[in-house]
Structures are given as structure tokens and as C-alpha cells.
Amino acid sequence: QVPLVESGGGSVHSGGSLRLSCAASGYSGASKCLGWFRQTADNEREGVVVLDNFGRSTYADFVKGRFTISQGRAEKTWYLQMDNLKPEDTAMYYCSFLPAASRYACNLYTVRFGYLGQGTQVTVSS
């Protein structure tokens, strides 16, 4: 198990910004993939963004140009900067960590199979 500590989220108006943080505390091994996915109120799961161990990021089309993933100075910490939020971005957001030994590739679908944070609610009102 890889415990993830997730923070951020909240409620904003359309056009607002939020920043999510995630840390894989206490894990000493290498990572294959860092990312975020979200689960909407109707239980639809959507990969939002992934960052592989080569520094390549892949964004879902619905967040391109608005969301940015980055790594922190502290080891195994990463962030999701969400700008120009829209009501359709309302969801529970989960950070995800795939260890280097994971059998899964790093993509917007497999991000849901990583070790997950506890989730944080993002609510965007119009």
C-alpha cells in the first residue's frame, strides 16, 4: 500500500481556480505515473491527467488549456492547478500513484487503478 494524502478542493464560481495537492508520504520506491481522475455525481469515472516518469503529461480533452499538473520540490508530491473552472468540472477528484513496478501503463484509463488519495470534492457553481 502507498498512502496518499490529498488536499485542496472546495467550492468556486464558474471561471474560478482551485489547486489540489497530493503526497505519497512514506513511500521510498520510484513512481511510474502520477495523476488525477474524477468521479461525477452519476458515478462516471474520468481520467483527468497523468504524468509519467519521463515528465510527459497527458490531459483529457475536456481540461486541456485549463488544468496543469506539476511536481513539487518535495519528493513524490504533485499538484493539479485548475483554472477557468466550469460547472461540469464538479466532481470528486482523486489523486493516483502507480509505482514503477506496476503492470499498468500510464494513461488516462489506468490512472484509476493506482493507489488513490482519499478524494476531495470540487464544486463549481454557475
Side-chain angles (χ1 to χ4, degrees), residues 11-44:
S11 298
V12 295
H13 291 293
S14 182
S17 297
L18 288 170
R19 189 191 197 207
L20 308 183
S21 303
C22 192
S25 304
Y27 183 71
S28 60
S31 65
K32 173 185 287 187
C33 189
L34 309 173
W36 304 81
F37 78 91
R38 67 189 188 186
Q39 184 162 328
T40 61
D42 57 2
N43 289 323
E44 182 177 355

Side-chain angles (χ1 to χ4, degrees), residues 8 13 18 20-21 29-31 46 49 56-58 62-63 68 72-73 85 88 94 96 100 117 124 126:
H13 291 293
L18 288 170
L20 308 183
S21 303
S31 65
E46 303 173 319
V49 59
R56 299 173 300 197
S57 57
T58 303
F62 51 79
V63 302
T68 305
R73 290 185 177 183
L85 283 159
E88 52 263 44
Y94 296 89
S96 171
V124 185
S126 58

Side-chain angles (χ1 to χ4, degrees), residues 5-12 17-23 36 78-82 85 91-95 117-123:
V5 179
E6 187 172 354
S7 61
S11 298
V12 295
S17 297
L18 288 170
R19 189 191 197 207
L20 308 183
S21 303
C22 192
W36 304 81
W78 59 107
Y79 305 97
L80 181 64
Q81 178 66 40
M82 304 184 292
L85 283 159
M92 184 71 79
Y93 285 72
Y94 296 89
C95 61
Q118 76 274 22
T120 187
Q121 178 67 36
V122 171
T123 302

Side-chain angles (χ1 to χ4, degrees), residues 47 50 107-113:
V50 293
N107 58 52
L108 293 175
Y109 181 74
T110 61
V111 65
R112 71 195 68 192
F113 299 132

